[in-house]
Amino acid sequence: MSQDQDKAKIILESGQQAELPLVKGTKGEAGIDIGTLHKQLGLFTYDPGFMSTASCKSAITYIDGENGVLLYRGYPIEQLAKNSSFLEVAYLLMNGELPKDDELAGFVDEINHHTMLHEALRSFFDGFHYDAHPMAMMVGVMGSLSAFYHSELDMNDPEHRRISAMRMLAKVPTIAAACYRHSVGWPFVYPRMDLSYCENFLNMMFSLPSQKFIDKENYIDPVAVKALDVLFILHADHEQNASTSTVRLASSTGANPYACVAAGISALWGPAHGGANEAVLSMLAEIGTVDRIPEFIARAKDKNDPFRLMGFGHRVYKNFDPRATIVREVCHEVLEKYTLDDPMFELAMALEEYALKDEYFIEKKLYPNVDFYSGIIYKALKIPEEMLTVMFVIARTAGWVSHWLEMMAEPTRRIGRPRQIYTGYDRRDYVAPEERQ
Ligand code: SDX
């Protein structure tokens, strides 16, 4: 195959040729537009896991895996984590620009307006056992919003799409906190208009009727609020990861947006994706002590052992995940503020140090990813282990709805329908039961 600045030429051994245009963005790798490949050569491309496949064009997030770069609408994640708030970043992801003061105030006010859930949805939770995994409840409840918002939705109307996105971003913390309250048998706490997004979430999670709401500072720890805000910013978006791609593929059929985001929540739940933060804590608990680290590193390298070092490795980052570096710093700050000498944090740092010096991890470029330390922070904030991926859902809803809005605004939307390489039987005739071997 040869490539000049605008096209690629494929020449098969048979002599057949195809000329395919290159698709270039503003940064990063270009792509070969293979839309006419089958027509020209009668061939498909084959790329399980989409290692080298761009599924769309997007202007939302840019990742440079080799250099550990992450930009949201061009702004470095380090600067946003330091200077911004989660709702300001959500506005940026959804609208493409940082909001002016009045724009942010209006956005926050509208989010506050949509934080409540329909009262009929409360009884929906009664259908879950108390020990239902919160992620199972999140999938069900987010999907059930499509039962409340469907008939009046016109997906071709940009305002209908905007409101749907705002509703999901506003309601996801309320749903998340309700999942937790249901699992501990506590009454639900309603969102308040006088609290910020993260203050509201903590209040809905942990406030008890028996406690007086004396004043915010004494009641909702500002350290916890800031840590949450940063963690939500870091988890808000990450280009075409598995769950975002799931939302895009479901949305390509024109399905109800709440149902499509529920599909994204399902995809995020897996331990290879957003479920890794919960899996990291379970792994650290299983390792237990520093002296057992070599045993588990050996298992992670053993091809016959399904054990993987959770929180390590990434499809795109072949260098440090820039988010992991920030999360590690936040982890230090939170544990210091709470004067927690959490042995799990010491163990995590020892495990990171050991792995980063191990030939296998170096050769395969396996570095800590965003999920390696986040669970320890959530644990320090008293967020239970089963709620960790739910925390990821809250943040990534900003990214999911942003990609949904971007995709639905495209003038020509095509249903996503990949092909396959068939490995089954050739045509054969039916065999009557009595004649089967
Ligand atoms: C997230 O896509 C995103 O952007 C995701 C995310 C986001 O913000 O949306 O960043 C969030 O999901 C972070 C990733 C969280 N998952 C984990 O921490 C789980 C542990 N990590 C692995 O399962 C794995 O690294 C993945 C799933 C993250 C990446 O898998 P890839 O890109 O398919 O890589 P691979 O499985 O092909 O691994 C390449 C090699 C393999 O060895 P060989 O077959 O080449 O000999 O590296 C090995 C793997 O066995 N390997 C690991 C490993 N990760 C990869 N070996 C041990 N421990 C690991 N964690």
Side-chain angles (χ1 to χ4, degrees):
M1 180 190 290
S2 62
Q3 169 194 337
D4 67 24
Q5 71 275 18
D6 291 323
K7 54 181 180 300
K9 183 177 283 185
I10 298 177
I11 303 169
L12 301 182
E13 284 179 357
S14 63
Q16 277 183 289
Q17 297 193 22
E19 246 184 36
L20 300 166
L22 293 188
V23 179
K24 294 177 184 175
T26 50
K27 281 180 76 71
E29 294 85 346
I32 301 173
D33 181 342
I34 56 169
T36 61
L37 177 69
H38 185 247
K39 194 174 172 188
Q40 291 190 54
L41 294 179
L43 295 173
F44 296 141
T45 56
Y46 177 61
D47 185 17
F50 310 117
M51 305 288 280
S52 305
T53 296
S55 60
C56 63
K57 291 180 182 175
S58 177
I60 298 173
T61 292
Y62 174 73
I63 304 174
D64 174 346
E66 288 305 320
N67 299 302
V69 172
L70 171 56
L71 308 177
Y72 286 168
R73 298 285 189 179
Y75 295 99
I77 191 69
E78 294 83 1
Q79 293 182 20
L80 292 170
K82 184 168 177 236
N83 302 304
S84 191
S85 68
F86 174 63
L87 282 188
E88 183 177 75
V89 166
Y91 181 101
L92 171 67
L93 292 171
M94 289 167 70
N95 298 289
E97 298 295 339
L98 285 169
K100 298 183 188 71
D101 285 345
D102 61 331
E103 290 170 328
L104 181 58
F107 185 79
V108 170
D109 188 48
E110 189 174 0
I111 287 289
N112 276 338
H113 179 76
H114 287 291
T115 49
M116 292 284 281
L117 299 180
H118 191 291
E119 274 300 295
L121 204 56
R122 286 173 54 83
S123 54
F124 195 89
F125 283 88
D126 297 339
F128 294 114
H129 279 189
Y130 73 93
D131 60 353
H133 194 292
M135 280 297 284
M137 291 192 261
M138 285 303 289
V139 170
V141 177
M142 179 60 82
S144 74
L145 288 184
S146 58
F148 290 83
Y149 308 106
H150 184 70
S151 49
E152 86 288 358
L153 280 185
D154 172 4
M155 285 301 103
N156 294 315
D157 181 335
E159 183 52 15
H160 282 212
R161 298 199 295 260
R162 191 193 67 81
I163 286 286
S164 302
M166 293 296 279
R167 277 194 189 117
M168 285 188 265
L169 185 61
K171 295 179 190 309
V172 68
T174 311
I175 296 171
C179 291
Y180 170 66
R181 303 289 288 202
H182 179 75
S183 69
V184 293
W186 287 351
F188 290 2
V189 173
Y190 285 78
R192 298 170 58 118
M193 298 290 274
D194 60 339
L195 296 178
S196 73
Y197 195 82
C198 292
E199 290 169 345
N200 237 328
F201 174 69
L202 289 171
N203 186 51
M204 291 188 287
M205 278 285 287
F206 297 122
S207 72
L208 290 175
S210 52
Q211 282 168 317
K212 276 200 186 122
F213 193 95
I214 304 159
D215 56 71
K216 216 159 43 173
E217 276 57 44
N218 288 333
Y219 191 80
I220 301 175
D221 182 345
V223 170
V225 172
K226 180 60 188 156
L228 269 194
D229 220 32
V230 172
L231 284 169
F232 285 169
I233 289 171
L234 296 176
H235 286 81
D237 192 51
H238 216 234
E239 62 147 78
Q240 305 310 318
N241 58 84
S243 53
T244 300
S245 299
T246 300
V247 172
R248 279 180 172 261
L249 187 59
S251 306
S252 74
T253 70
N256 181 291
Y258 302 92
C260 295
V261 167
I265 296 173
S266 303
L268 189 75
W269 193 0
H273 191 12
N277 52 21
E278 181 179 351
V280 166
L281 289 197
S282 305
M283 174 189 73
L284 291 172
E286 187 185 0
I287 296 173
T289 52
V290 174
D291 62 331
R292 296 191 66 200
I293 288 177
E295 171 196 337
F296 283 85
I297 292 286
R299 285 186 58 194
K301 292 153 59 171
D302 179 356
K303 289 298 161 219
N304 300 316
D305 189 328
F307 174 81
R308 282 200 164 180
L309 212 57
M310 303 316 283
F312 266 77
H314 198 277
R315 171 63 58 76
V316 178
Y317 290 122
K318 300 309 173 191
N319 195 317
F320 254 86
D321 178 337
R323 304 168 298 175
T325 309
I326 300 167
V327 170
R328 197 171 189 267
E329 287 159 20
V330 174
C331 211
H332 270 301
E333 287 163 20
V334 167
L335 294 176
E336 202 174 289
K337 290 274 182 182
Y338 289 145
T339 58
L340 290 179
D341 56 350
D342 185 345
M344 197 172 263
F345 182 66
E346 313 305 326
L347 177 62
M349 287 201 296
L351 178 62
E352 177 189 47
E353 187 184 350
Y354 193 105
L356 292 180
K357 290 176 184 161
D358 182 278
E359 261 320 298
Y360 173 92
F361 286 83
I362 294 168
E363 184 250 325
K364 292 191 184 295
K365 298 186 177 182
L366 301 174
Y367 293 91
N369 59 49
V370 69
D371 292 315
F372 187 63
Y373 281 104
S374 56
I376 297 171
I377 299 173
Y378 286 133
K379 183 169 172 270
L381 302 182
K382 304 281 183 286
I383 308 276
E385 206 165 305
E386 284 202 333
M387 282 290 291
L388 296 192
T389 311
V390 172
M391 301 304 284
F392 203 147
V393 168
I394 295 173
R396 190 50 57 89
T397 296
W400 290 331
V401 299
S402 300
H403 281 272
W404 177 70
L405 290 172
E406 182 181 62
M407 175 184 155
M408 296 300 284
E410 284 164 4
T412 52
R413 287 197 312 266
R414 308 192 75 177
I415 188 169
R417 203 279 185 213
R419 300 305 302 272
Q420 63 173 20
I421 303 299
Y422 177 66
T423 57
Y425 285 101
D426 195 347
R427 185 193 180 286
R428 54 179 178 162
D429 294 324
Y430 181 79
V431 178
E434 63 274 12
E435 291 169 19
R436 290 171 201 163
Q437 305 301 328

